[in-house]
Amino acid sequence: MNELSNREQSLEEEIVALKTRMDQMEKEMQELEFLTPRPIISSAQFGQIGTFILGAIVLIGIFWL
């Protein structure tokens, strides 16, 4: 009985240690996500800007004629 109780206690201690480590890892991941550089212009915005410029060139070409 005593051996089983010791085993249960050691497993509970391991669980607490693992939960603590998981919390630390989550905090580290949040810090890394915060510190990673973000692109200034995303690919969707780049496409929208390109379409706008192309449309402006077309309008200038139409009025030039």
Side-chain angles (χ1 to χ4, degrees):
M1 217 39 196
N2 192 17
E3 184 178 318
L4 183 61
S5 175
N6 289 340
R7 179 69 177 149
E8 288 176 357
Q9 184 178 0
S10 67
L11 288 175
E12 288 178 8
E13 290 173 357
E14 286 183 40
I15 290 172
V16 170
L18 287 173
K19 285 182 180 180
T20 305
R21 181 63 184 140
M22 282 178 49
D23 292 340
Q24 290 175 349
M25 291 176 73
E26 286 177 2
K27 288 178 185 176
E28 290 173 2
M29 286 174 51
Q30 289 174 354
E31 287 180 14
L32 288 175
E33 288 174 358
F34 178 75
L35 295 175
T36 53
R38 307 240 191 286
I40 296 172
I41 298 177
S42 68
S43 59
Q45 290 173 336
F46 188 74
Q48 290 173 351
I49 292 171
T51 303
F52 176 78
I53 292 173
L54 183 62
I57 291 172
V58 168
L59 285 174
I60 290 171
I62 289 172
F63 288 115
W64 190 271
L65 295 174

